[in-house]
Amino acid sequence: MTFRTTALCTIIIGLFSLMSCTHNNGDIGEYFGTWKLTSIEVDGNVDQSYRGDIFWQFQTTVFCMRQVLPHHDTDIRWGSWAEHDDRTLELNFSHHDDAHPAESDMYSPLPVTGLTPGINMLDIESLTSSRMALTYRDKSGMTYRYELKKW
């Protein structure tokens, strides 16, 4: 084998390795990847305070909610997710670790979303490989609607 062929083989193997690692523990379907939260409605009214700066990320059962702050800083929140047969999406923010107790900022949803620490059940209105619409009713009866676009 020539150096050129060896280098090409190494690059191809490396690319396949990277591609397989992004789907840790297998393909999770339409959810996989990064979604931009394009709008939030509260009780049928567009939330004008939302700046379009939040991203939702799905991988295996891990969920990450990321807000881009000024100067490219980020506020990152962690949870887990599961889709249920009744067309609901469970976002679970009841986790903790040795340095961060349950309901700490790290394991709580971003406040602007209206989601709460603990388990949140969202109705899946629509889900394609590029768009998602979800509805959430909080304990006080307020209804939140989220529009997301694959990023």
Side-chain angles (χ1 to χ4, degrees):
M1 244 193 227
T2 67
F3 173 76
R4 194 173 185 161
T5 305
T6 304
L8 181 60
C9 287
T10 302
I11 291 170
I12 290 171
I13 290 169
L15 287 173
F16 278 117
S17 296
L18 285 173
M19 288 176 10
S20 65
C21 288
T22 62
H23 284 81
N24 184 19
N25 292 333
D27 186 3
I28 60 171
E30 304 291 351
Y31 292 99
F32 179 79
T34 300
W35 295 79
K36 181 176 184 175
L37 180 58
T38 57
S39 70
I40 301 173
E41 292 178 14
V42 182
D43 289 334
N45 299 307
V46 174
D47 182 352
Q48 299 296 332
S49 69
Y50 175 58
R51 299 184 312 252
D53 56 0
I54 294 176
F55 296 84
W56 291 12
Q57 297 174 303
F58 297 84
Q59 185 173 346
T60 58
T61 61
V62 177
F63 177 75
C64 177
M65 188 180 286
R66 181 181 306 263
Q67 184 174 29
V68 179
L69 303 171
H71 309 292
H72 304 289
D73 290 330
T74 56
D75 186 352
I76 300 172
R77 309 300 179 96
W78 295 98
S80 58
W81 72 278
E83 181 182 8
H84 298 283
D85 291 338
D86 63 352
R87 302 251 328 135
T88 58
L89 176 66
E90 175 184 311
L91 297 181
N92 183 342
F93 293 98
S94 63
H95 304 286
H96 61 87
D97 62 40
D98 291 342
H100 303 90
E103 298 191 19
S104 64
D105 282 352
M106 184 175 200
Y107 295 109
S108 295
L110 291 162
V112 70
T113 64
L115 298 170
T116 60
I119 296 175
N120 299 268
M121 301 302 286
L122 292 78
D123 293 320
I124 302 167
E125 289 182 22
S126 62
L127 174 62
T128 69
S129 61
S130 62
R131 299 254 180 214
M132 185 179 344
L134 306 165
T135 304
Y136 168 70
R137 185 178 304 270
D138 72 9
K139 291 177 180 153
S140 70
M142 293 177 67
T143 300
Y144 292 81
R145 185 170 188 279
Y146 310 102
E147 289 277 341
L148 297 105
K149 177 181 179 182
K150 192 64 149 290
W151 203 247

